[in-house]
């Protein structure tokens, strides 16, 4: 299992100031979460079969360095917290520039939604275990 993915920024990610638009940071973090879930066996088809889906309650981005078009970035996921039954979790995505400097962090708090009842639910035990096995988040040293 990998918890980091490298991307190359695109024209569509940029804002009129010539750097990556604020919402693109969240888009890369969300993509990286979905890739991790798929690696654990929980792709879109499996979530549809289980009638289960991840939801976010909070998403907070801290911007530290500019990112420009065509830059290579690396997005890393680290576990901040997960409760005992795995129903609620917090992850921090760190977005690194190619030189290793931290460009931003995207902190999310989420849970699992029963898609039929539209209520929070407990995930399969294997999914809860996979979350607990994510590396722990540590505040980067500046």
């Amino acid at each position: 299992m990998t918890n980091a993915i490298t991307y190359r920024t695109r024209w569509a990610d940029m804002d009129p100031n010539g750097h990556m638009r604020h919402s693109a940071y969240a888009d890369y973090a969300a993509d990286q979460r979905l890739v991790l879930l798929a690696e654990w066996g929980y792709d879109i088809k499996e979530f549809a079969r289980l009638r289960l889906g991840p939801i976010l309650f909070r998403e907070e981005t801290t911007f530290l360095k500019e990112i420009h078009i065509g830059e290579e970035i690396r997005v890393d996921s680290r576990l901040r917290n997960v409760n005992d039954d795995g129903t609620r979790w917090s992850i921090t995505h760190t977005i690194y520039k190619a030189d290793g400097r931290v460009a931003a962090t995207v902190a999310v708090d989420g849970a699992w939604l029963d898609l039929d009842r539209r209520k929070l639910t407990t995930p399969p035990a294997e999914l809860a275990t996979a979350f607990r096995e994510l590396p722990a988040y540590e505040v980067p040293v500046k």
Side-chain angles (χ1 to χ4, degrees):
M1 170 181 62
T2 179
N3 69 322
I5 298 174
T6 300
Y7 299 90
R8 183 161 305 278
T9 61
R10 307 162 303 153
W11 173 258
D13 298 327
M14 299 302 125
D15 70 10
N17 296 327
H19 58 246
M20 197 157 81
R21 63 183 163 75
H22 70 283
S23 55
Y25 291 83
D27 291 342
Y28 282 111
D31 185 76
Q32 202 262 347
R33 277 194 308 278
L34 290 176
V35 169
L36 275 180
L37 290 168
E39 285 182 3
W40 297 339
Y42 292 89
D43 61 10
I44 296 297
K45 289 179 184 177
E46 181 64 5
F47 279 124
R49 187 187 74 73
L50 293 170
R51 303 297 300 145
L52 176 73
I55 61 169
L56 295 184
F57 296 116
R58 182 185 72 89
E59 182 173 57
E60 179 182 352
T61 305
T62 303
F63 304 97
L64 302 166
K65 301 285 180 201
E66 286 185 307
I67 295 176
H68 300 282
I69 191 167
E71 276 195 65
E72 191 173 274
I73 60 171
R74 183 171 50 89
V75 183
D76 177 269
S77 291
R78 301 288 172 145
L79 183 67
R80 258 194 134 97
N81 192 25
V82 62
N83 65 357
D84 289 341
D85 62 3
T87 55
R88 291 184 181 253
W89 40 267
S90 298
I91 293 174
T92 295
H93 300 280
T94 303
I95 300 175
Y96 296 92
K97 293 176 72 68
D99 65 7
R101 291 182 297 161
V102 176
T105 58
V106 180
V108 297
D109 297 333
W112 302 103
L113 181 69
D114 179 311
L115 297 177
D116 294 324
R117 294 181 23 235
R118 308 309 290 179
K119 295 190 181 284
L120 296 184
T121 191
T122 304
E126 300 83 17
L127 182 54
T129 298
F131 261 80
R132 282 189 203 89
E133 291 175 356
L134 263 176
Y137 177 75
E138 297 175 14
V139 177
V141 177
K142 294 182 183 179

